[in-house]
Amino acid sequence: MKKLRLTRRWMMLIGAVCLVLAIGIAYLIGIRNERSMVKFIEAEQQLIVKHDQYEIAFSRQNGGIAYVKQQGSEQPLSVGNASLWHVLLGETSSIQSAEAASFSYKWKQAERELQLSYEDPLPVEIRISFAEPQRIKLQASLENSSSEVIKSVRFPNELKVDEEIVHDGMLPMLPGAKLKGAFFTEHNSFADQYPGVMFASYLAIDTKLGGMAMYDVHDETILMTELGFKHQLQDPGKTSFVHNYKTWIEPGQKWKSAKVVVELGGDYEQSIVSYREQNGIDQYRSLAAKLGDHAEQYYELPLYKTDISALKDASWQHLSDNYVDKLNYSGMIHLVAFQQGGHDENYPDFLPPDPQWGGEAAFTDFVKRAQAAGNIVVPYTNMSWWGINAPTLKKLPDGVTLQELMVNRENGTIVQEDYGPHSGYVVNTGHPFFYERTAEEHRKLIEEAGFDGIFEDQWGIRNSPYVFNPAIPEGTDPSTAYFAGLRRYVEQLKHPLYMEDGTDVLADNSIGFMGSTYLWDVLGYRKNTATYTEYYPLSGMLLRDKVMQYHHNLAGETMTDNLDMLRWNAAMGYNLSVDLYHGVTNPWVDAAGVLQKHVLARYADERVVSFQQPAPDVSETKFESYTVTANWSKEQSYALNEQVELAPGGFHISSADDAVRAGHYTVYNGLELDAGEHLLVELRAADQIRVYQPIGSDTSLKIKKQADWAHTVATAYEANGRKIAELVASEAGDYVSFDYVSEIKGAKVGYVALVRSDQPSEAAEHFAKRPAEVNAALGKRATASSITADAFAAELTVDGDPFTYWESTANRFPQSLTLELDSAIKVRKVKLRLPPQDAWEARTQEIELLGSIDGTDYTTLYPRGSITYDPASGNEVELILEPAAEAKYIRLSIYANSAWSAAQLSEFEVYE
């Protein structure tokens, strides 16, 4: 018998066939096993679907959800809802599934789908899919067979949860509002609209039994949806998911919901990623793709709010010479109020600019000079709100009427909004003239003015209104028309676009969202959530690789001018903003420039991948290659490790390889820093290590040398790279030590550079550290004899911000301001400040300083006399008490003010 001899080629072929067969068999077994995970049971009163991860039961009589359980748990995660859907018709009547006279169901095992059908009083079809692990997908379709308009569809209708089991809940208000458990146990409710205040159609809770999220998977039409949590008045101890489609379904029309996903078992991070992937946000264009060769430049630039109308002696020439040309770090020059009529006037007519600032040629030269210095220039505009006196509205084209162009209410009236002295109309984004006129103005701003991009106010934050105009985008109705028109315009833009707040689906065509619920909480706009909110980087997980985020572009309350705001921005993945109103000598201008350019820019397009709490009052935000640890306690420091301790309220940013580190510290590299604040940045490269301290007191520092460096030379430089002096440096093992002194030889130190040397440093000139002074009045109680308005309260004199100030009632001297310290101290010195800017011209005040131990009996600390504030020296007056006097209460009396008819003070500082 001949032996069968197989060539190597045949053996490889047979092996490949076997491998394919094995994979195919495994795939079929996998499908079979996956399909076997879902089991449908028809019980006497319920339709039960069992999955290996959860169990859900529906009423056999009407399809209402009876409960949702995690497998293995006796207690339900959700106690369901009596009605699966609830429809509001007209003004007062409603229909809900529990009242349906005709109901049937059908289970399709192959598809793992349950179909629920209702015929009377409305034809409604519900499809519920169980094909995906952890996700239940529901979709409703209906026909309006009634004689009234359907104005809302609650679906799923108020899915309920026991309040006592809720740890916290998540609302999609930028960047993410995590509501503490007390929000639920104290029986609160809150809901708002997507698109609008809610930037994503996503809700979630974390409970003792696991997580549950509810979110939409959109199609081309974005449905107006009310989202939130609602305490159940008729069912005590329960809260529910609010998921209410705000619709406009005419009699005879058909309607379909989005696919609603109920995701079970995972944490917030898991369901946020699911929402991102299910909606294709992960496939949106990246920031790098949208910005191309300019991406790195845009990442490096903090936002510099530049309101020309607010500056003293303002002109385009003055703005160039005294602001832009003197910036140490380039930024986004965000121009405000440059149009004729000023801020919130003349919309949509932004060009030509107001001639009072120097004319069009000077304006164009300013833009070019700013760009030549490495800045980009982005104007504030508002194309959703047109001023009632705007030139465009005074001369509409033939055939275009105001009635058609502006959003109409159901009764046919035009939507007009007033803001202070300003008034404007809300534009119908579906009207062709909105499209044409907005495109024309955008073209002029980009091509003629030469701007690098455009900011649009309200486009991402306005709750989309109903639009009852005849001209609306094809395929929309009054509830979907406004956002569809806006979205279609945004999708065709070719230039960089920023917008107020933002909406997730607009991230594909935008590069910047500007806003957060933090501002609205500070301003008291959302009182029923503010006290319960812990901020969470939901937007950072969802779309930070697609858009850059900033705080509100105009709001002083959220500019990066204090360490608390800087910590918040770092933890939430936000970029930095500063108002140039205070001048470029404001140290926070340099601080924002250093942090944005040298640290935040390096991971500006990285998504947040994790947000955890490693210790009480401490959060850890992990980006793709960077980690931010934030200490939210203002009383206790936090030891990150043996080498690094964060200051109370401090933070730490580090790259995965530790080549970049930045933060606010009390101990750094194992060395306890000198008294005072210390905002440090350390950048390590093979040939140089740079150390920056843009905010902070003089201190000794210890920095690890590069492994192959024999010795190290330390040199102080100005921010522009001009050498100031070599520093005395000592070496011990792997470390080099030197003193970081903020001012040397009359020059402000921008950074210290450490470089390799074959010989030890020979620098001998010593520059003494200036010891930090501790202001005993900071954050203490301050009261005033009067205030001119709530915005100028006494406590602003002890907030550490020299740009906020107290002002008394006018024309009523004398006025007084009284400090109450924690205890009596020996007062050696008192500093009085006014805002350190040229707009606060030199002035003389007549003052007297008194002190008391008990708050009743006062003695003179500084006799009545005149003091002079001069902006050239920072508008600061120092009073030395000789001898030092013991006091717990210090009262400043002001008898006259040469430049204003009231008493004024920005900071009242007391030193031992």
Side-chain angles (χ1 to χ4, degrees):
M1 177 182 293
K2 292 184 178 180
K3 292 184 179 180
L4 181 61
R5 297 178 62 87
L6 297 177
T7 65
R8 182 179 179 185
R9 181 178 178 184
W10 275 102
M11 291 176 69
M12 291 176 64
L13 180 60
I14 292 170
V17 171
C18 292
L19 179 61
V20 170
L21 289 172
I23 293 172
I25 292 169
Y27 176 72
L28 292 172
I29 292 172
I31 292 176
R32 181 177 178 182
N33 289 340
E34 186 180 356
R35 292 186 183 280
S36 67
M37 291 192 300
V38 180
K39 186 177 182 181
F40 180 67
I41 301 170
E42 296 179 83
E44 183 176 350
Q45 298 294 324
Q46 296 176 335
L47 306 173
I48 302 171
V49 178
K50 286 191 173 185
H51 193 283
D52 69 339
Q53 295 174 334
Y54 61 83
E55 179 180 313
I56 183 170
F58 303 85
S59 166
R60 193 163 180 171
Q61 282 67 49
N62 57 44
I65 297 176
Y67 63 80
V68 181
K69 292 180 181 179
Q70 294 276 49
Q71 280 294 7
S73 174
E74 293 298 322
Q75 185 179 355
L77 178 57
S78 169
V79 292
N81 52 22
S83 291
L84 185 57
W85 52 266
H86 184 120
V87 169
L88 177 67
L89 299 91
E91 298 302 326
T92 58
S93 60
S94 65
I95 301 170
Q96 50 187 315
S97 57
E99 301 167 352
S102 173
F103 170 73
S104 62
Y105 63 87
K106 183 179 182 181
W107 172 254
K108 303 179 74 172
Q109 180 64 39
E111 290 81 7
R112 287 165 290 172
E113 180 179 278
L114 178 62
Q115 298 178 356
L116 308 179
S117 300
Y118 306 82
E119 294 298 331
D120 183 28
L122 281 179
V124 178
E125 294 286 333
I126 309 291
R127 292 178 176 269
I128 309 172
S129 171
F130 307 92
E132 299 177 26
Q134 294 184 278
R135 299 188 192 117
I136 302 169
K137 287 188 174 180
L138 307 90
Q139 188 167 33
S141 57
L142 61 82
E143 180 178 351
N144 186 2
S145 58
S146 75
S147 59
E148 297 184 81
V149 173
I150 295 178
K151 294 188 174 181
S152 78
V153 179
R154 299 175 184 173
F155 174 74
N157 177 46
E158 297 189 357
L159 195 59
K160 294 185 288 188
V161 176
D162 282 324
E163 291 171 336
E164 291 295 334
I165 72 168
V166 179
H167 289 147
D168 41 61
M170 188 70 66
L171 290 175
M173 298 188 294
L174 287 169
K178 188 171 77 168
L179 302 177
K180 301 174 186 176
F183 173 87
F184 301 94
T185 56
E186 294 176 9
H187 315 314
N188 290 284
S189 299
F190 180 81
D192 217 310
Q193 184 180 301
Y194 168 85
V197 168
M198 303 296 187
F199 80 93
S201 189
Y202 167 94
L203 295 167
I205 58 172
D206 179 54
T207 79
K208 297 175 183 177
L209 303 172
M212 180 164 67
M214 182 182 293
Y215 56 84
D216 281 352
V217 178
H218 309 294
D219 56 19
E220 288 302 311
T221 301
I222 302 300
L223 301 179
M224 191 190 302
T225 313
E226 186 180 25
L227 301 169
F229 300 106
K230 179 182 177 182
H231 172 65
Q232 299 291 294
L233 293 174
Q234 304 303 317
D235 194 355
K238 305 291 192 302
T239 188
S240 70
F241 285 82
V242 175
H243 191 268
N244 175 22
Y245 293 113
K246 299 170 72 173
T247 61
W248 192 266
I249 310 169
E250 297 278 1
Q253 286 187 338
K254 295 182 178 180
W255 176 89
K256 183 180 289 187
S257 76
K259 289 180 180 177
V260 186
V261 178
V262 176
E263 185 164 324
L264 304 165
D267 56 18
Y268 294 131
E269 294 169 8
Q270 181 175 324
S271 59
I272 292 166
V273 170
S274 294
Y275 178 79
R276 169 183 161 95
E277 294 175 348
Q278 293 281 304
N279 281 287
I281 296 172
D282 57 329
Q283 300 301 311
Y284 286 1
R285 290 182 300 153
S286 67
L287 276 166
K290 285 181 274 192
L291 291 169
D293 294 339
H294 301 290
E296 294 301 324
Q297 179 193 16
Y298 276 68
Y299 298 162
E300 291 183 353
L301 305 178
L303 182 150
Y304 293 144
K305 178 189 172 185
T306 312
D307 183 346
I308 189 169
S309 68
L311 304 179
K312 184 183 178 184
D313 302 325
S315 70
W316 297 117
Q317 185 71 37
H318 178 74
L319 193 56
S320 293
D321 293 343
N322 296 289
Y323 288 81
V324 173
D325 288 355
K326 293 183 178 180
L327 287 168
N328 286 323
Y329 299 92
S330 302
M332 179 204 306
I333 306 299
H334 184 48
L335 277 186
V336 182
F338 60 93
Q339 75 271 21
Q340 297 185 48
H343 185 60
D344 275 344
E345 292 294 335
N346 262 39
Y347 305 160
D349 300 275
F350 290 88
L351 294 177
D354 195 316
Q356 70 172 304
W357 313 123
E360 291 187 63
F363 168 71
T364 302
D365 181 64
F366 162 76
V367 173
K368 290 179 179 178
R369 280 180 65 178
Q371 292 167 334
N375 304 285
I376 64 171
V377 187
V378 176
Y380 170 101
T381 67
N382 189 346
M383 304 292 183
S384 71
W385 191 81
W386 288 9
I388 59 173
N389 298 312
T392 291
L393 296 187
K394 291 179 179 178
K395 194 175 181 180
L396 289 172
D398 292 340
V400 177
T401 68
L402 191 68
Q403 183 72 30
E404 295 171 340
L405 182 59
M406 303 307 165
V407 169
N408 290 183
R409 298 183 180 90
E410 186 179 356
N411 63 8
T413 60
I414 294 173
V415 177
Q416 180 175 336
E417 295 177 343
D418 299 319
Y419 178 72
H422 312 287
S423 188
Y425 300 114
V426 179
V427 190
N428 173 17
T429 60
H431 195 286
F433 186 63
F434 161 80
Y435 196 103
E436 295 165 9
R437 182 67 189 87
T438 303
E440 177 190 22
E441 197 68 11
H442 276 195
R443 182 196 61 77
K444 289 165 62 179
L445 291 165
I446 296 296
E447 297 180 9
E448 295 179 18
F451 292 131
D452 298 279
I454 293 174
F455 167 83
E456 281 288 356
D457 194 60
Q458 298 185 327
W459 278 16
I461 187 59
R462 179 186 292 283
N463 277 356
S464 294
Y466 280 92
V467 180
F468 293 97
N469 301 54
I472 60 176
E474 184 180 352
T476 68
D477 60 44
S479 69
T480 57
Y482 182 88
F483 191 75
L486 175 63
R487 190 181 181 192
R488 291 178 189 184
Y489 181 79
V490 170
E491 286 176 346
Q492 57 80 43
L493 290 176
K494 304 299 182 185
H495 55 258
L497 175 69
Y498 303 81
M499 66 181 65
E500 184 181 17
D501 273 34
T503 305
D504 55 356
V505 296
L506 299 179
D508 196 15
N509 301 95
S510 308
I511 66 164
F513 287 174
M514 296 181 180
S516 75
T517 196
Y518 176 93
L519 174 63
W520 312 127
D521 290 347
V522 168
L523 296 176
Y525 289 1
R526 298 173 189 159
K527 294 181 180 179
N528 47 347
T529 62
T531 56
Y532 301 100
T533 295
E534 293 179 341
Y535 302 102
Y536 187 96
L538 187 161
S539 57
M541 293 180 181
L542 197 60
L543 42 76
R544 193 173 182 271
D545 53 336
K546 313 301 179 184
V547 292
M548 295 177 285
Q549 288 189 255
Y550 306 78
H551 273 293
H552 196 282
N553 55 306
L554 302 185
E557 293 85 353
T558 51
M559 292 292 162
T560 313
D561 57 10
N562 60 79
L563 289 164
D564 288 341
M565 200 73 263
L566 180 56
R567 179 189 66 248
W568 195 101
N569 289 336
M572 295 297 121
Y574 271 53
N575 296 299
L576 308 182
S577 307
V578 181
D579 194 338
L580 292 188
Y581 173 75
H582 304 311
V584 299
T585 58
N586 173 7
W588 281 100
V589 175
D590 276 1
V594 169
L595 267 292
Q596 188 67 50
K597 178 176 182 176
H598 293 302
V599 182
L600 304 186
R602 297 173 186 244
Y603 61 103
D605 59 349
E606 289 187 7
R607 199 173 62 81
V608 176
V609 296
S610 175
F611 186 74
Q612 303 295 330
Q613 187 173 340
D617 294 323
V618 177
S619 67
E620 182 185 77
T621 313
K622 286 194 173 183
F623 301 83
E624 293 166 42
S625 64
Y626 278 72
T627 300
V628 177
T629 304
N631 178 19
W632 300 93
S633 170
K634 299 300 291 295
E635 290 76 38
Q636 301 294 324
S637 59
Y638 175 70
L640 185 65
N641 51 48
E642 293 180 354
Q643 294 291 307
V644 173
E645 183 176 290
L646 311 188
F651 67 95
H652 175 69
I653 304 173
S654 61
S655 60
D657 59 1
D658 264 353
V660 178
R661 293 195 294 172
H664 175 204
Y665 308 100
T666 56
V667 175
Y668 192 70
N669 288 332
L671 177 67
E672 183 173 352
L673 304 179
D674 292 25
E677 304 284 2
H678 300 287
L679 175 61
L680 296 171
V681 174
E682 180 184 341
L683 309 175
R684 303 181 68 85
D687 60 342
Q688 186 182 83
I689 300 171
R690 284 195 183 188
V691 180
Y692 297 77
Q693 185 179 247
I695 299 287
S697 305
D698 294 354
T699 186
S700 297
L701 289 176
K702 186 173 79 170
I703 303 296
K704 190 174 185 178
K705 300 183 295 184
Q706 294 290 28
D708 58 346
W709 289 9
H711 300 286
T712 303
V713 172
T715 307
Y717 292 88
E718 292 185 70
N720 61 12
R722 188 186 73 83
K723 180 179 176 179
I724 302 174
E726 289 191 10
L727 304 180
V728 174
S730 60
E731 299 180 50
D734 295 335
Y735 289 88
V736 58
S737 298
F738 60 93
D739 289 340
Y740 196 110
V741 179
S742 59
E743 188 174 312
I744 297 175
K745 297 182 178 179
K748 182 181 177 182
V749 174
Y751 62 91
V752 171
L754 307 176
V755 297
R756 178 208 306 264
S757 173
D758 293 331
Q759 302 295 326
S761 172
E762 297 180 356
E765 189 175 7
H766 181 75
F767 305 103
K769 294 181 292 182
R770 296 167 182 84
E773 294 183 310
V774 178
N775 174 15
L778 187 63
K780 300 305 184 286
R781 186 168 181 261
T783 56
S785 53
S786 72
I787 59 172
T788 186
D790 290 343
F792 303 97
E795 55 262 30
L796 297 176
T797 64
V798 291
D799 66 353
D801 184 350
F803 300 104
T804 62
Y805 61 94
W806 161 68
E807 183 173 298
S808 73
T809 301
N811 300 310
R812 292 185 185 178
F813 289 107
Q815 296 286 340
S816 65
L817 188 70
T818 304
L819 288 176
E820 181 183 352
L821 306 179
D822 291 337
S823 59
I825 64 170
K826 281 281 190 181
V827 181
R828 177 182 56 85
K829 179 171 64 178
V830 171
K831 285 186 180 180
L832 305 176
R833 298 179 188 268
L834 289 177
Q837 52 193 137
D838 291 341
W840 286 72
E841 68 270 19
R843 66 196 65 201
T844 299
Q845 290 185 355
E846 187 178 348
I847 65 120
E848 183 180 29
L849 204 61
L850 304 174
S852 171
I853 298 294
D854 59 9
T856 301
D857 297 321
Y858 283 84
T859 58
T860 300
L861 301 181
Y862 195 89
R864 182 170 173 174
S866 294
I867 61 172
T868 300
Y869 294 97
D870 185 352
S873 57
N875 274 337
E876 174 187 320
V877 173
E878 187 171 272
L879 308 177
I880 303 298
L881 307 189
E882 294 180 346
E886 190 171 7
K888 178 179 180 181
Y889 300 87
I890 301 129
R891 177 172 294 164
L892 172 70
S893 295
I894 301 178
Y895 295 90
N897 184 353
S898 66
W900 201 251
S901 59
Q904 297 168 309
L905 191 69
S906 67
E907 287 298 300
F908 194 173
E909 302 175 6
V910 176
Y911 298 91
E912 291 188 82

